[in-house]
Amino acid sequence: MELLVKGARVVDSSQDFEGDVYIRNGKIDEIGKSLSKDCSVIDGKGLTILPAFVDLHSHFRDPGQTYKEDILSGSRAAAAGGYTAVNLMANTDPPCSSMEIVEYVKNKADEAGLIDVYQSISITKNMEGNDISHLEKIDKGVKIISDDGKGVLSIDIMYKAMVKAKDMGIIVMTHEEDESIAKYDARLSENIMTIRDIVLSEYTLCPLHIAHVSTKEAMKSIMDAKKRGVPVTCEVTPHHISLDNSVDYKVNPPLRDATDVKFLIESIKDGFVDVISTDHAPHTMEDKRNGARGISGLETAFCVCFTKLVHEGNISLSRLSEIMSKNPARILKLNKGEIKIGYDGDLVLVDLNKKIKVDAKNFESKGKNTPFDGMEFYGKVLMTVKGGRVIYDNRQAL
């Protein structure tokens, strides 16, 4: 399979130029100017080509809650958002605590045939917080373990999980919440758990990835840890860098103060934030009316982040590419996330000047739950390419 994108602005974490990108046999084969190939050609004039995005943190609800999302609808949502790889959380029903569920998800992703899907396994068996014996049975295909959705309250269990993960070369991804404290103060809950897990990571040397950081105190703890050389990475979400708690919308962790939003953006600018992850968490509207926490985020992540971070002058488009493509691919050890010869031919074509109004009814995701519905942003995803194959094409919207 061959594909040539011509005359686009080509941007990744380390380059920004007008030119062409040629994909052959699934890989980026040639980059330059005025390339001529006897194959399908995409006219990129006036548009920008980026490495496709990689999401470290999504919930596709399959198995168990496929009325909210399934592997196919989630894959379509990812493709529409410019993503070609996602890492799924383990809080399915039943929780993903076995290789059988990992294989189930893998097989359904293969049937969907759109994006690469990686399935996390829970840190504790069935996410019950008191047993890690199932970790003895997971194989090398698992890259991340996480109880995302709630925190692991036992220090003893988290210590043992980190020792085990370190030995297996697996990343521990944490949801920093102590529910016994959160009922009094959700900010204190996140801050305490963040410090605890950094201390355990520093002691065990286990790679730790801290999910959806939302408070300035938690981010300061991560910054200090990084300066000490602790093997910690972190992510922020599009909603936590674009909305504050003046917006009445339930997510977990909750939307924070405007000062937290400003601090997270400054942390991105200063290089302390490794990744932007969507925490894509689709719900039915009835679930939301009943208090479910979460946002359908894959299809709005780019326009929200581009508008807030690049269009408003906070960071360059290359830095945005670094935290939406290069760094999450590096953490998952994927051959993606940059436009370099030999890398996967995964690209996203965007119109940075296109102003769009979010209409959740048009989402590919089953989840239409978003606080961004009706809001306007810059940066429209027009096409997503995986391995040289077009998996999403919305150029008629131009």
Side-chain angles (χ1 to χ4, degrees):
M1 183 174 294
E2 298 175 77
L3 183 72
L4 176 63
V5 181
K6 281 190 66 68
R9 179 186 173 194
V10 180
V11 180
D12 71 4
S13 62
S14 63
Q15 57 191 340
D16 187 340
F17 67 98
E18 299 286 337
D20 311 332
V21 180
Y22 172 58
I23 300 169
R24 185 166 70 98
N25 295 329
K27 304 294 183 186
I28 296 172
D29 190 75
E30 196 170 347
I31 303 167
K33 296 179 180 290
S34 302
L35 300 182
S36 179
K37 304 291 179 183
D38 183 18
C39 67
S40 295
V41 177
I42 304 296
D43 181 6
K45 188 176 181 181
L47 304 175
T48 299
I49 200 84
L50 298 157
F53 312 128
V54 175
D55 192 17
L56 273 181
H57 187 159
S58 272
H59 303 262
F60 279 6
R61 311 300 194 195
D62 194 353
Q65 294 181 312
T66 53
Y67 61 97
K68 296 186 180 188
E69 194 79 289
D70 57 38
I71 302 300
L72 178 58
S73 64
S75 296
R76 286 175 172 164
Y83 290 85
T84 58
V86 299
N87 180 61
L88 301 182
M89 296 297 99
N91 62 339
T92 50
D93 185 14
C96 183
S97 300
S98 69
M99 291 308 298
E100 286 74 19
I101 296 179
V102 172
E103 286 301 312
Y104 164 86
V105 171
K106 180 179 183 301
N107 290 337
K108 291 199 71 172
D110 289 344
E111 290 173 10
L114 289 173
I115 64 169
D116 293 332
V117 174
Y118 301 91
Q119 177 63 57
S120 300
I121 276 190
S122 60
I123 296 173
T124 63
K125 189 175 182 180
N126 296 323
M127 296 184 64
E128 293 175 345
N130 52 22
D131 183 0
I132 63 168
S133 60
H134 65 298
L135 298 181
E136 297 289 344
K137 300 176 182 178
I138 66 176
D139 67 31
K140 295 181 179 178
V142 175
K143 298 173 181 286
I144 291 176
I145 56 174
S146 178
D147 273 12
D148 182 68
K150 58 183 180 180
V152 175
L153 300 186
S154 166
I155 300 174
D156 177 50
I157 290 293
M158 182 57 94
Y159 167 77
K160 291 175 179 174
M162 285 197 183
V163 170
K164 184 67 177 176
K166 170 68 167 53
D167 288 344
M168 299 177 70
I170 294 174
I171 297 168
V172 172
M173 181 173 175
T174 51
H175 174 114
E176 304 295 11
E177 179 183 15
D178 183 332
E179 293 174 345
S180 66
I181 299 297
K183 62 186 178 185
Y184 303 116
D185 189 321
R187 170 184 292 274
L188 180 63
S189 168
E190 178 176 344
N191 295 344
I192 288 174
M193 292 290 274
T194 299
I195 292 170
R196 184 203 73 173
D197 289 338
I198 286 173
V199 170
L200 289 174
S201 172
E202 188 167 19
Y203 184 81
T204 62
L205 299 180
C206 173
L208 169 66
H209 180 78
I210 299 178
H212 42 50
V213 181
S214 69
T215 72
K216 56 181 179 292
E217 294 87 2
M219 183 56 71
K220 286 178 181 176
S221 297
I222 293 166
M223 293 163 71
D224 289 342
K226 284 174 172 276
K227 291 174 184 175
R228 297 198 304 274
V230 179
V232 59
T233 55
C234 72
E235 66 184 36
V236 298
T237 70
H239 44 281
H240 284 117
I241 62 169
S242 59
L243 302 173
D244 61 38
N245 52 15
S246 64
V247 176
D248 183 17
Y249 203 85
K250 291 186 182 302
V251 290
N252 189 21
L255 297 174
R256 303 294 190 184
D257 297 341
T259 54
D260 294 293
V261 174
K262 182 178 180 181
F263 194 85
L264 294 183
I265 292 174
E266 289 300 316
S267 301
I268 293 172
K269 293 166 67 174
D270 292 340
F272 289 104
V273 173
D274 299 278
V275 171
I276 289 179
S277 296
T278 68
D279 194 9
H280 175 75
H283 291 292
T284 66
M285 299 315 290
E286 181 179 0
D287 290 334
K288 289 299 292 184
R289 284 192 292 271
N290 290 330
R293 297 176 294 181
I295 171 177
S296 182
L298 281 166
E299 293 171 77
T300 54
F302 176 71
C303 67
V304 170
C305 293
F306 173 74
T307 301
K308 189 66 183 179
L309 296 176
V310 181
H311 192 265
E312 294 185 8
N314 288 301
I315 62 172
S316 68
L317 186 58
S318 285
R319 171 64 175 147
L320 183 61
S321 178
E322 181 180 15
I323 55 181
M324 290 190 71
S325 301
K326 178 184 177 181
N327 287 351
R330 172 178 54 82
I331 290 171
L332 285 173
K333 299 179 181 178
L334 306 180
N335 189 39
K336 302 180 186 293
E338 297 180 81
I339 300 178
K340 290 183 177 178
I341 293 173
Y343 274 57
D344 290 352
D346 292 11
L347 305 173
V348 57
L349 187 70
V350 298
D351 184 345
L352 300 178
N353 298 314
K354 184 74 172 180
K355 195 173 187 179
I356 58 173
K357 187 174 184 178
V358 175
D359 186 349
K361 294 193 303 295
N362 295 329
F363 281 0
E364 294 287 342
S365 171
K366 293 181 181 179
K368 314 300 181 187
N369 51 303
T370 174
F372 299 120
D373 194 31
M375 294 186 186
E376 293 184 328
F377 299 96
Y378 287 95
K380 185 173 184 60
V381 173
L382 297 175
M383 176 182 287
T384 305
V385 175
K386 183 177 184 300
R389 180 170 70 95
V390 176
I391 60 171
Y392 174 77
D393 189 351
N394 194 30
R395 285 175 294 171
Q396 74 277 8
L398 282 176

